[in-house]
Amino acid sequence: MEHRIRLCIFVSGNGTNCENIIQYFQQKGNADIAFVLSNSAKAFALERAKRLGVKTYVLSKAEINDENVLLPLMKKEQVDFIVLAGFLLMIPDFLIKAYDHRMINLHPALLPKFGGKGMYGHHVHEAVKAAGETETGMTVHWVNRKYDDGEILAQYRTPISPDDTPDDIAAKEHALEMKYFPKVIDEVISKI
């Protein structure tokens, strides 16, 4: 019997992508969700995961940055691959090394534009609006030691108009995430 890929999803917030990813793999069955990890006990993503029968863990920033805490958890849960879905902390070097080319991030803009420290969530959409862009989109990339700097695996675009507010831009970009992010994860893990 072939080994099934075990995914771990790192989250910090609401968790619509987390829920979408769990539902996708529960229906398609190409991977198992080992658990959802958050740095915030208040992250609604944890409730979404629990509702879908997925184990959750909450670790403090200090625990996430402690290889004697995080790596044993990853080993215990037999995690093969990590998906960052709205996770706001910098990933520690030891985890990047342990999961080299087995950890991806979703960014809500067309990198390399509008990436880097402080560029997350609504800040990104406000920056896209302020720059007068005619399109926006999502980027999925490998995680490396710099924010939003890893090799790009996939990008999807959507037009935006001068009348669009940052909320409108966010909604258009979020629709791309819902449609494409689980499929991109599936494609990437199929090559492991």
Side-chain angles (χ1 to χ4, degrees):
M1 185 172 129
E2 78 178 63
H3 172 72
R4 291 174 59 78
I5 297 292
R6 288 179 56 80
L7 299 177
C8 174
I9 306 170
F10 282 30
V11 297
S12 292
N14 190 26
T16 52
N17 271 301
C18 176
E19 181 175 43
N20 193 33
I21 294 163
I22 293 167
Q23 289 174 330
Y24 178 92
F25 286 104
Q26 284 179 342
Q27 291 162 9
K28 211 161 184 272
N30 294 344
D32 296 319
I33 308 299
F35 63 93
V36 171
L37 174 81
S38 184
N39 60 302
S40 170
K42 295 177 182 168
F44 192 65
L46 298 170
E47 294 307 311
R48 293 177 188 271
K50 288 174 189 170
R51 266 201 314 254
L52 292 167
V54 174
K55 189 185 301 187
T56 63
Y57 290 97
V58 176
L59 295 179
S60 68
K61 182 177 180 179
E63 289 171 319
I64 288 168
N65 285 305
D66 184 343
E67 64 185 299
N68 296 314
V69 174
L70 189 53
L71 286 182
L73 175 62
M74 304 304 272
K75 185 174 183 174
K76 178 183 106 172
E77 295 290 350
Q78 300 173 324
V79 173
D80 298 305
F81 198 89
I82 300 170
V83 175
L84 307 183
F87 187 69
L88 301 181
L89 299 182
M90 187 72 176
I91 300 298
D93 285 352
F94 68 82
L95 194 64
I96 292 168
K97 187 176 178 187
Y99 284 86
D100 182 39
H101 285 85
R102 291 187 295 135
M103 183 176 357
I104 59 174
N105 181 48
L106 167 69
H107 185 75
L110 296 169
L111 292 174
K113 289 183 176 181
F114 311 107
K117 192 168 175 63
M119 277 290 152
Y120 61 90
H122 218 66
H123 302 289
V124 173
H125 307 303
E126 288 167 354
V128 168
K129 171 70 177 172
E133 295 289 317
T134 58
E135 67 177 358
T136 192
M138 61 171 272
T139 302
V140 180
H141 63 90
W142 291 119
V143 175
N144 68 11
R145 287 176 169 80
K146 293 182 188 167
Y147 280 113
D148 305 323
D149 182 62
E151 179 190 345
I152 293 171
L153 297 166
Q155 286 188 317
Y156 296 92
R157 301 166 185 272
T158 185
I160 52 177
S161 77
D163 299 332
D164 284 341
T165 66
D167 285 341
D168 296 331
I169 293 168
K172 289 180 177 183
E173 188 275 329
H174 193 256
L176 294 176
E177 294 177 3
M178 292 295 102
K179 182 174 182 181
Y180 294 111
F181 194 28
K183 293 175 186 173
V184 172
I185 297 166
D186 203 7
E187 287 171 20
V188 172
I189 64 170
S190 73
K191 297 171 185 164
I192 293 178

